[in-house]
Amino acid sequence: MKHSVELKSELFLLFKQDKAIRELLGITALSTVEEINKKIKRVLGSDDLVDETTPLFFVYAFIPSVSNTKNYKVNQFTLEFRIYGRLQSKIDKLYLAIKDCLYQNYEDMTIFSEGSISTGNQNLYAYMFRTRPLVRS
Amino acid sequence: MNMVEIESIVKQYVEVLNQRISQKWAEVDQGIFTERNISVNYLSDSESIEVKLEYGGMGAFIIEYGSGSAMVTHTADTLGSYGNPAYSHYIGSETFNTDRLSKGNAFLGREQGGTVYTPTGARYQSTGRMKGINLEKHSNPYKPQLPMHIIETEIIHWKDELGQALDKAIKESIEISILGAFMGDI
């Protein structure tokens, strides 16, 4: 079991190596770190949503939450994923790819909440889902 | 489990909800929609707890329900979830330029000397040069903001979390009481 910050980094490595996610996001062997960071974001800045140069990207981050265990060694916090894109069909495919990647690698990443969200931009759609992974206290 | 323990759980979750909303506001405010505030009031007695959440300010209103021609015009009564509860109040207020009603609520230039209300809460007097002109189609447009419904979306998901947390806490409390009874505590 890892700390939340370690899990975040581990997930980044997993996502950028996942074949289906790479294909959907257009990540190739030639992609630079900056380019990958624009497509797999660990934090969302206020300018990101109006960035029209990236047609599909997702952001994941631990968001404020209440721990759900009483075990002093283990916590369960909320990890939120938000997928943004110009095409709803691509968002759906990326959602399935991320979900597959999570389910193949973790037993504690079941989705407990999900749904469409508004982006505040025309022709930019978004879908959000949340998991509650076990992390070290 | 007593009401104080339940209130403690509810307060933890309310804190988290408002942190999430504040975080998302900050992500999308573009440094413009910054006038916003949150107020929380708890009313509890031995049998119930009531939480009154109030979100206010021009910035919060615009982020939630949009602005200009993109503003949500259906009220909560007609649309249910995601309806704009303040629409009637807004179009009846002095801050609203009623000429906009015939132009799909698009931003229009005001008459000379008319007060212009900015999203940051500041105000200034119009020169009248753009009176009646659709500023959303102007070369240097006032961009309408699409509604983001951050508060309503967060609350919809949060209610499930809070419900699960209370169910779990109550279940654990009952289990401890039953176990205590077998061990002769009561």
Side-chain angles (χ1 to χ4, degrees), chain B residues 52-74:
Chain B
K52 190 176 178 189
L53 297 165
E54 287 184 297
Y55 301 91
M58 179 85 87
F61 179 88
I62 291 172
I63 292 172
E64 192 71 9
Y65 299 111
S67 66
S69 59
M71 176 174 59
V72 177
T73 55
H74 293 291

Side-chain angles (χ1 to χ4, degrees), chain B residues 58-113:
Chain B
M58 179 85 87
F61 179 88
I62 291 172
I63 292 172
E64 192 71 9
Y65 299 111
S67 66
S69 59
M71 176 174 59
V72 177
T73 55
H74 293 291
T75 64
D77 291 338
T78 53
L79 199 62
S81 290
Y82 301 115
N84 182 347
Y87 181 65
S88 308
H89 174 74
Y90 176 53
I91 61 169
S93 73
E94 63 170 17
T95 58
F96 184 74
N97 176 3
T98 48
D99 292 347
R100 289 172 53 187
L101 287 172
S102 60
K103 306 279 184 189
N105 282 329
F107 294 120
L108 299 182
R110 294 195 186 234
E111 62 189 4
Q112 187 180 13

Side-chain angles (χ1 to χ4, degrees), chain A residues 46 64 68 80 113 118 130, chain B residues 20 24 27 147 154 157 168:
Chain A
S46 60
N68 260 330
E80 181 180 279
S113 187
S118 177
R130 288 173 179 165
Chain B
R20 287 179 188 172
K24 292 199 172 153
E27 282 174 7
E154 283 301 324
H157 293 283
K168 190 179 170 197

Side-chain angles (χ1 to χ4, degrees), chain A residues 44-47 49-50 62-70 76 78 80 82 84 112-123 128 130 132, chain B residues 9 12-13 15-17 19-20 23-24 26-31 82 143-149 153-154 157-158 160-161 164-165 168 172 176:
Chain A
L44 194 63
S46 60
D47 296 336
L49 288 182
V50 289
F62 280 95
I63 59 169
S65 57
V66 180
S67 172
N68 260 330
T69 70
K70 287 188 172 170
Q76 209 174 14
T78 303
E80 181 180 279
R82 280 182 279 165
Y84 294 90
F112 72 91
S113 187
E114 63 181 296
S116 292
I117 50 171
S118 177
T119 65
N121 283 271
Q122 274 184 337
N123 305 318
M128 175 276 280
R130 288 173 179 165
R132 227 181 249 138
Chain B
I9 293 172
Q12 277 184 321
Y13 274 78
E15 174 83 5
V16 154
L17 169 71
Q19 281 180 22
R20 287 179 188 172
Q23 206 173 61
K24 292 199 172 153
E27 282 174 7
V28 300
D29 69 12
Q30 301 169 53
Y82 301 115
K143 281 176 71 178
Q145 168 70 34
L146 289 182
M148 297 203 62
H149 301 297
T153 305
E154 283 301 324
H157 293 283
W158 171 83
D160 286 343
E161 275 182 70
Q164 285 171 22
K168 190 179 170 197
E172 281 173 3
I176 290 167

